[in-house]
Amino acid sequence: MFTLKEKHYMLKLLKEHNRKRLFSLGKKDPVHERLVEKLEQMIRNEQVNSEHLRKH
């Protein structure tokens, strides 16, 4: 499992890579987009879960 910090770092790298690809003429890779979406969801879930656990 990755820590929240590692997930944020990977998401940052994927988004930076995506920005660089905007200047090239290649098609977007659907796997890349799915990874970004999954990481964003994982981060949201972890944040919500940690807030919920702190309340109890």
Side-chain angles (χ1 to χ4, degrees):
M1 273 313 210
F2 294 109
T3 65
L4 183 59
K5 186 176 181 178
E6 290 168 334
K7 291 174 192 170
H8 275 289
Y9 180 75
M10 286 189 293
L11 183 60
K12 177 184 163 196
L13 289 177
L14 285 168
K15 287 186 174 184
E16 285 175 1
H17 177 74
N18 197 35
R19 274 188 230 116
K20 290 177 185 175
R21 286 191 51 86
L22 289 176
F23 297 107
S24 67
L25 298 176
K27 281 194 332 185
K28 287 185 178 180
D29 187 358
V31 173
H32 181 95
E33 291 183 28
R34 280 195 307 272
L35 279 173
V36 169
E37 290 173 9
K38 284 182 179 183
L39 272 171
E40 289 172 340
Q41 184 65 47
M42 290 168 67
I43 290 168
R44 280 192 301 273
N45 288 344
E46 191 166 333
Q47 290 171 337
V48 167
N49 289 339
S50 69
E51 290 172 11
H52 178 71
L53 289 174
R54 277 188 251 140
K55 291 180 182 179
H56 291 261

